[in-house]
Amino acid sequence: MRKLFIAALASALAGGTAYAEGVSEQDLANDTANTSSVLTNGMGRHLQRYSPLTMLNKDNVSKLTPVWAFSLGGEKQRGQETQPLIHDGVMYITGSYSRMYAIDVKTGKELWQYDARLPEGILPCCDVVNRGGAIYGDKIYFGTLDARIVALDLKTGKVAWRKKIADYKAGYSYTAAPIIVNGLVITGNSGGEFGIIGEVQARDAETGETVWTRPVIEGHMGTLNGKPSTMTGTLNATWPGDMWKTGGGATWLGGSYDADTDTIVFGAGNPAPWNSWLRAAGKPKGAEGDNLYAASRIGMDPATGEIKWHFQTTPREGWDYDGVNEVVAYSNRNGEKRWATADRNGFFYVLNREDGKFVRAAPFVKNITWAKGIDENGRPEFVEENRPGDPAAAADGKKGEVIFAVPSFLGGKNWMPMAHSPKTGNFYVPSNEWGMDIWNEPVTYKKGAAYLGSGFTIKPIFDSHIGSLKAIDPDTGDIKWEYKNNAPLWAGVMTTAGGLVFTGTPEGEFIAFDDETGEKLWSFQTGSGIVGQPITWEQDGEQFVSVISGWGGAVPLWGGEVAKKVNYLNQGGLLWTFKLPKELASAN
Ligand code: CA
C-alpha cells in the first residue's frame, strides 16, 4: 500500500507521464552524458554510440587489459550480438536463444539469469540471436524469438509481465533491443522472409498494455488505445492487388529517438516476396509499384504511432535490400540537424532531422550494380537490366534471368551498428564488399513458410577482403580512411572522446583504431568471432570497455563462396571486460 502511494506520488510529481521509481525518462535522455551508466541500446537513443570519456585515449590504449570474462555457458553457443547495459553496478546482457544475464560489474559474477523457454517451431530466419535490452523504472525489457516482449525485475530477474508481439507460427520473431520513450516500450518485429507484416508497437512499460500499433505496409490499420486509428498510406496506391496483405517490411532492427523533434524512426525491411515482378506497377492499373513503406525509414510520433514522414531507400526493392538499418540523429559541423543511415543497398544517406527530407547520398561500398546513383530527390537511378529477371518471361516459366548484383543480399552494411563521433564529425561504418548471383522464381504465400521467390549465391568481389570499416565524412560522402578485413564484418562500432574507434572481427580480434587516421592502436584476441556491440563506462573513477565474443549471426548460415572465409571459426560465448591497470589510469 505504502509502495503504491509512493509510486503514485512520484508519478504525480513527474507530471503523470512516467513511473519515476528507478530509471526515469530524464535518465534515458541523459544517457550519453552520464558516463557511469549505459541504459539504452546505442549509448543514447540517437544511436551515436559515442562516449565523452577521455581517461582511455590514443596515448594509453595500448595498455588496455582484460579484468574479467563471463561465459554464457551451456550448449547454446550461437551468435552473440548483444550490447551490454550498465546500471547501478550491474551489467545486463542478452544471449543467443533469448536469454538474459545480470552480472556484477566489479567481479564478473553472475547475479541472475533468465532463460525464455522457447516453444518448438520458432522460425528465426538468421540465427537465434538477441541484440540487447532496455532499462526503465525498476525493470529491464527484451524481446524473444517466439515474438514476445518480456519485462523482468532489475534486481531479481523475476518476470513482471510477458506479452505477445505476434504469432511465431506465422514466421514472426524478435531480436532487436526495444526503445523506451516517455514510459512506452516500443518494439518492431522480425520475419520479413515469411510474408509477415512489419509493425511498430508501443506498450505501457509498467503494465505491458498495448497503447498503439503501426503497421508499416500501406492499406493496414493502426490502433490507438485499443481502437482503430488511421490507415497506413493509401490502399493500392503503390501495391498491386492483394499483395499488400503479405507485404513484408519487417521492422526488425528497432528504432532511434530524437528528442529535439520528438520523433522515433524505424526502418522497414524488404517487401515480400523477393520476386519484385509480382509487386510491379499496373496490377491494378495506376499503382506505382513502389511498395510503400517497405525498404523505407519511417518517422513517427512516439505518443500515437502516427507517421510524420517517410523516406524510401529502394522503391520496388528486388534484391533483399531491407531498409531497416539504424538511423542516427546528429548535428553536422554547421550545427544543422541531420539523420544519417547506411543502407543495405550500398548508399549512405543524410536526411533533414526536422522533416525526414533527403539531403544527400553517396555510395559507401564499391562496384554497386543495381543503381547508377541517387538523384536529387533521393530516388535511385536504377540499372533496369540488373533487376533479377521475370520468371514468367522465361522459356520454362520457372527461373528468371540470373544477374550478378552488388551489394549481396546481406548488404553493403547489415544490422551491425555504425557510430558517430561529434569530435571528428565522421561516421564509422562497418561495411562489406560482396555480390551475389540472384534469380527469381514463382512463389505463392503459405503461412509459416519462406516467401521469397528467389534463389541466390553470395560471392566476394575482391580476393583480399570482404569486411571494410570506413570513416565517412557525412557532409561530402568522402571516405577518410578504411580498414580491410578478410571475413565480413558483423560487429557494432563505438567511438570515444579519447579519439578511439572500437570494433571486433569474426576472426576474434577486438580492435581500437585512431579516429583520425585509422591506425590500429590496440587489439586483443577474444577466442571466438565478435558480432556484438562494444560499450564503455566509468566505475569508481576508472574507464571500462566491454564487448561480447561469440561467432554466429547470418553470415555462417549462407554458404556461397563466402563460407571458406568463415567456416573454420570457433563458436563461443564470452563477455570480455577491459580497463587500464590502476597505476596507469591514475597517472593520467
Ligand atoms: Ca530481408
Side-chain angles (χ1 to χ4, degrees):
M1 195 66 192
R2 185 165 167 187
K3 197 177 169 202
L4 269 177
F5 172 74
I6 292 168
L9 183 66
S11 178
L13 288 171
T17 55
Y19 299 84
E21 278 188 291
V23 172
S24 66
E25 170 64 24
Q26 196 56 44
D27 293 331
L28 299 183
N30 290 340
D31 197 28
T32 303
N34 180 358
T35 54
S36 65
S37 60
V38 179
L39 302 172
T40 60
N41 188 269
M43 298 171 64
R45 292 176 294 185
H46 46 52
L47 306 187
Q48 290 183 4
R49 298 180 183 275
Y50 168 78
S51 170
L53 284 170
T54 56
M55 281 182 262
L56 183 67
N57 54 52
K58 293 181 190 184
D59 295 332
N60 60 22
V61 69
S62 64
K63 304 293 196 297
L64 192 61
T65 305
V67 271
W68 54 261
F70 175 89
S71 171
L72 276 69
E75 293 153 25
K76 297 173 174 175
Q77 304 277 40
R78 294 296 315 175
Q80 305 298 353
E81 295 189 350
T82 195
Q83 184 213 288
L85 299 175
I86 306 286
H87 172 58
D88 212 8
V90 181
M91 174 184 289
Y92 299 89
I93 61 169
T94 56
S96 51
Y97 290 99
S98 309
R99 293 172 292 169
M100 180 169 274
Y101 303 80
I103 307 164
D104 183 324
V105 293
K106 292 188 181 164
T107 62
K109 184 174 182 291
E110 181 176 304
L111 301 173
W112 54 257
Q113 175 179 343
Y114 170 80
D115 190 340
R117 287 191 208 99
L118 298 168
E120 293 290 320
I122 54 169
L123 293 164
C125 77
C126 312
D127 202 8
V128 288
V129 298
N130 187 282
R131 303 193 170 103
I135 295 176
Y136 184 71
D138 58 0
K139 298 181 187 65
I140 184 161
Y141 306 83
F142 85 115
T144 56
L145 289 164
D146 55 349
R148 289 174 194 274
I149 169 94
V150 186
L152 303 175
D153 183 285
L154 277 170
K155 291 274 187 298
T156 64
K158 292 258 163 20
V159 175
W161 53 257
R162 185 165 168 262
K163 301 285 181 184
K164 182 174 159 182
I165 293 172
D167 177 10
Y168 71 84
K169 291 175 185 156
Y172 289 92
S173 56
Y174 203 60
T175 55
I179 184 166
I180 296 175
V181 180
N182 290 322
L184 297 179
V185 183
I186 304 173
T187 51
N189 61 23
S190 307
E193 274 49 72
F194 296 93
I196 59 95
I197 294 298
E199 184 166 274
V200 183
Q201 302 179 347
R203 288 182 171 75
D204 183 304
E206 191 60 24
T207 64
E209 291 285 308
T210 302
V211 174
W212 57 259
T213 61
R214 171 56 55 194
V216 299
I217 297 296
E218 83 181 15
H220 295 268
M221 271 316 258
T223 64
L224 179 63
N225 298 322
K227 298 194 183 76
S229 56
T230 55
M231 182 185 282
T232 298
T234 306
L235 183 62
N236 283 141
T238 68
W239 283 84
D242 284 342
M243 298 302 290
W244 59 279
K245 291 181 178 170
T246 50
T251 48
W252 60 267
L253 202 42
S256 53
Y257 175 64
D258 173 42
D260 291 344
T261 58
D262 192 31
T263 304
I264 50 166
V265 182
F266 272 70
N270 60 284
W274 284 20
N275 178 349
S276 65
W277 297 97
L278 299 171
R279 299 178 270 99
K283 312 179 206 170
K285 200 162 172 258
E288 284 171 24
D290 280 358
N291 311 141
L292 291 171
Y293 297 106
S296 301
R297 308 302 195 280
I298 304 158
M300 284 168 283
D301 181 335
T304 62
E306 288 302 311
I307 294 176
K308 294 182 170 187
W309 54 259
H310 74 274
F311 178 78
Q312 189 173 41
T313 43
T314 317
R316 197 184 149 215
E317 192 284 314
W319 302 259
D320 193 31
Y321 297 151
D322 288 36
V324 294
N325 286 356
E326 75 283 9
V327 182
V328 179
Y330 75 106
S331 293
N332 70 11
R333 295 182 181 93
N334 299 324
E336 294 162 313
K337 291 182 181 140
R338 297 288 184 248
W339 299 105
T341 189
D343 200 85
R344 282 263 278 270
N345 71 19
F347 290 93
F348 184 96
Y349 294 83
V350 176
L351 308 178
N352 187 324
R353 216 187 325 146
E354 303 284 358
D355 54 14
K357 289 253 158 54
F358 174 75
V359 176
R360 74 172 59 78
F364 66 93
V365 290
K366 297 185 181 79
N367 302 352
I368 293 172
T369 58
W370 69 277
K372 286 195 287 286
I374 305 297
D375 73 15
E376 72 274 11
N377 299 313
R379 197 174 172 89
E381 298 164 318
F382 285 99
V383 177
E384 270 308 327
E385 55 274 27
N386 203 243
R387 180 179 291 275
D390 184 357
D396 63 357
K398 288 190 177 141
K399 184 173 179 180
E401 187 197 349
V402 183
I403 55 107
F404 182 74
V406 176
S408 81
F409 67 99
L410 290 176
K413 175 182 166 299
N414 203 283
W415 78 278
M416 57 284 191
M418 61 185 185
H420 173 63
S421 170
K423 172 182 166 284
T424 64
N426 295 329
F427 279 82
Y428 298 88
V429 181
S431 73
N432 289 310
E433 310 268 3
W434 49 13
M436 63 179 167
D437 288 329
I438 180 169
W439 60 92
N440 285 157
E441 298 162 352
V443 65
T444 48
Y445 176 78
K446 185 164 167 280
K447 182 185 168 181
Y451 185 49
L452 299 186
S454 279
F456 47 84
T457 307
I458 192 165
K459 295 176 172 176
I461 55 173
F462 301 118
D463 289 337
S464 56
H465 68 288
I466 294 174
S468 162
L469 176 68
K470 296 182 175 94
I472 297 178
D473 181 334
D475 293 332
T476 60
D478 290 348
I479 291 164
K480 313 291 266 188
W481 56 259
E482 178 182 12
Y483 174 81
K484 294 173 180 169
N485 194 70
N486 185 40
L489 293 178
W490 214 252
V493 182
M494 172 176 74
T495 61
T496 76
L500 303 172
V501 176
F502 285 89
T503 196
T505 69
E507 292 90 338
E509 263 196 296
F510 186 41
I511 308 174
F513 299 93
D514 182 311
D515 61 357
E516 284 161 306
T517 66
E519 185 191 347
K520 194 196 267 192
L521 299 176
W522 170 88
S523 76
F524 181 85
Q525 175 53 246
T526 61
S528 179
I530 299 177
V531 293
Q533 309 166 62
I535 59 159
T536 187
W537 80 99
E538 180 184 355
Q539 179 79 34
D540 302 326
E542 294 183 282
Q543 185 177 351
F544 289 74
V545 177
S546 287
V547 73
I548 200 159
S549 169
W551 174 238
V555 174
L557 301 179
W558 308 106
E561 293 170 29
V562 172
K564 55 181 175 254
K565 286 189 184 281
V566 299
N567 60 12
Y568 67 94
L569 297 169
N570 292 328
Q571 300 295 125
L574 272 184
L575 186 290
W576 288 94
T577 292
F578 305 85
K579 71 177 180 76
L580 292 175
K582 199 138 202 166
E583 58 279 11
L584 277 170
S586 55
N588 259 294

